Amino acid sequence: MKAVTWQGKRDVRVEDVPDPGIEEPTDAVIRITSTGLCGSDLHLYEVLTPFMTPGDILGHEPMGIVEEVGSEVTNLQPGDRVVVPFQIACGHCFMCDAGLPTQCETTQVTGEGMGAPLFGYTRLYGAVPGGQAEYLRVPQAQYGPMKVPEGPSDDRFVYLSDVLPTAWQAVEYAAVPPGGTLAVLGLGPIGDMACRIAMARGAERVFGVDLVPERLARANRRGVKTYDLRAFDDEKALVHAIHDETGGRGPDAVIDAVGTEAHGSHAAKLVQQTAALMPRKISGPLAERFSVDRMGALYMAIDLVRRGGTISLSGVYGGMTDPMPMLTLFDKQIQLRMGQANVRHWSDQIMPFLTDEDPLGVDDFATHRLPLSEAPHAYEMFQRKQDGAIKILMQP
């Protein structure tokens, strides 16, 4: 089959790889019909290269048709249309029962000290072949895949794999009070969708911050009061501008939808880029012990949120030696929540929004649809923010 493989920093290729098959009785094999390109994939493309191996199959936002199931998968049958969550969990352990499938005790990557494995996402998370491919082996298929109805296009449901539950959890963790205010830093796919969900769930005002004109315009059209970071002398000036909109207090909650590749963190960017260029035998162990993040977005969130407010992190961070302003966090009594989205925990709450009325705008959420064969171009375009690329779907 054809699959998108990682070969090095900013080097992905579509290659012929062996077809997947049933290996365990809880497996299923899915024929992919749509697969998303995620901002998290760009971290693999750019800064998390020490944890990758040439030939790794990328992608964690797939949906498609069930081709084959193992003997213990009784809830699916060939021909079912399904969306596959980005994490692999059993559905019956203590953590899954607690609504935390990202911490599944059956599938945890204990050798790396990490939680549940993720499709197409570094050896830290199991190095499981991902969904930017023609076919996908799905472990723990008795729990993970979500059946969706025939009829609407893939765009209606494909975001259940990651974008929708990640944004939903970000809003849930933000705990915006009824009629409250929320600021979202980063208006890529997750930040954009978090704005939409927050407004649909009753936030009175949502502020969005970015520096990409297409992203700002898109969020503004849906009622978000947007701020272009480039229009301010520094980040303090932007913080003051949003504080002025909230009576000097600051928003009730802030979502950091940027993560480790924040603009403006020049020293940390240099460290990340240097590590990505080192030989893998050196860069891997070094990154595991001494990695740092570009934390400009998180620092802004700490300055921006009101006292007693909440910061919700949905952007990916991977540093081990990040400096945190603990005095400010403690003094302001800031609540901080974070983590990979627990997809199946939220999916039933999200489904009522995926109606023909399309209140979250999923049907036209993708800005680009490309064949899988153009994946290298898609990655480059998305990474460079070219041609208005905000969300890209690929079809094998």
Side-chain angles (χ1 to χ4, degrees):
M1 69 171 183
K2 299 289 186 182
V4 181
T5 64
W6 183 93
Q7 298 297 334
K9 182 176 180 177
R10 299 180 190 167
D11 183 4
V12 300
R13 306 173 194 173
V14 179
E15 296 189 322
D16 289 307
V17 301
D19 290 355
I22 300 295
E23 298 178 16
E24 301 289 342
T26 52
D27 286 351
V29 174
I30 309 296
R31 175 174 57 82
I32 303 300
T33 56
S34 290
T35 185
L37 176 52
C38 179
S40 298
D41 292 323
L42 295 186
H43 297 321
L44 310 182
Y45 192 68
E46 186 74 19
V47 302
L48 296 182
T49 57
F51 304 112
M52 299 295 289
T53 302
D56 284 348
I57 299 175
L58 300 172
H60 58 270
E61 296 186 352
M63 71 173 292
I65 307 299
V66 176
E67 292 284 298
E68 186 179 3
V69 297
S71 59
E72 295 182 15
V73 180
T74 58
N75 58 314
L76 299 176
Q77 60 184 3
D80 284 343
R81 188 187 193 196
V82 296
V83 179
V84 181
F86 68 86
Q87 77 261 164
I88 299 167
C90 71
H92 56 72
C93 68
F94 173 86
M95 289 295 179
C96 287
D97 286 343
L100 296 169
T102 57
Q103 311 303 327
C104 175
E105 293 180 330
T106 301
T107 65
Q108 281 178 10
V109 188
T110 54
E112 299 287 352
M114 306 299 277
L118 312 179
F119 287 104
Y121 213 80
T122 86
R123 65 171 174 79
L124 296 180
Y125 288 99
V128 181
Q132 290 173 5
E134 293 181 312
Y135 294 90
L136 176 68
R137 170 181 167 255
V138 181
Q140 302 295 331
Q142 81 289 343
Y143 173 67
M146 298 167 280
K147 287 196 284 189
V148 295
E150 298 292 339
S153 71
D154 282 4
D155 293 58
R156 180 71 58 86
F157 303 113
V158 67
Y159 305 114
L160 281 169
S161 59
D162 183 352
V163 173
L164 282 166
T166 297
W168 187 278
Q169 180 172 292
V171 173
E172 185 75 20
Y173 281 6
V176 182
T181 54
L182 170 70
V184 178
L185 307 183
L187 296 174
I190 301 302
D192 183 346
M193 185 57 73
C195 291
R196 301 180 187 203
I197 290 170
M199 289 187 291
R201 294 180 59 179
E204 180 178 336
R205 285 185 295 166
V206 176
F207 310 107
V209 179
D210 208 293
L211 43 66
V212 179
E214 293 86 355
R215 293 179 177 184
L216 291 161
R218 178 163 142 134
N220 186 260
R221 287 194 296 270
R222 296 192 68 93
V224 178
K225 184 173 179 58
T226 55
Y227 294 82
D228 187 339
L229 187 58
R230 301 167 303 171
F232 295 85
D233 292 336
D234 54 36
E235 294 176 0
K236 293 289 186 183
L238 187 151
V239 168
H240 287 315
I242 298 178
H243 279 187
D244 287 345
E245 290 288 330
T246 57
R249 182 180 295 127
D252 297 304
V254 178
I255 292 173
D256 171 4
V258 178
T260 186
E261 293 189 77
H263 288 266
S265 307
H266 302 298
K269 179 179 180 179
L270 179 62
V271 172
Q272 288 178 339
Q273 291 179 336
T274 301
L277 294 172
M278 289 180 177
R280 291 179 58 251
K281 288 184 179 181
I282 300 174
S283 63
L286 196 65
E288 287 182 56
R289 296 185 61 187
F290 302 111
S291 55
V292 297
D293 290 297
R294 288 145 65 179
M295 298 181 65
L298 179 54
Y299 292 154
M300 183 191 292
I302 293 168
D303 287 343
L304 185 57
V305 72
R306 69 163 169 83
R307 291 178 176 272
T310 302
I311 296 173
S312 172
L313 303 185
S314 62
V316 172
Y317 284 94
M320 294 297 289
T321 59
D322 293 331
M324 288 288 286
M326 294 305 299
L327 173 62
T328 304
L329 286 165
F330 185 83
D331 178 66
K332 291 184 71 173
Q333 291 188 246
I334 292 171
Q335 300 179 74
L336 187 61
R337 297 198 69 182
M338 68 192 80
Q340 303 280 6
N342 298 287
V343 175
R344 291 304 308 272
H345 182 64
W346 307 117
S347 56
D348 288 346
Q349 297 179 43
I350 296 169
M351 281 297 292
F353 288 84
L354 304 182
T355 62
D356 287 342
E357 289 74 24
D358 192 20
L360 300 179
V362 294
D363 284 349
D364 60 359
F365 191 69
T367 55
H368 293 71
R369 295 170 181 81
L370 299 171
L372 192 70
S373 59
E374 294 186 25
H377 169 61
Y379 269 83
E380 181 179 12
M381 177 173 59
F382 193 30
Q383 197 269 338
R384 295 186 177 183
K385 300 178 177 65
Q386 296 173 333
D387 194 29
I390 297 174
K391 186 62 185 178
I392 299 174
L393 293 180
M394 296 182 287
Q395 285 80 35

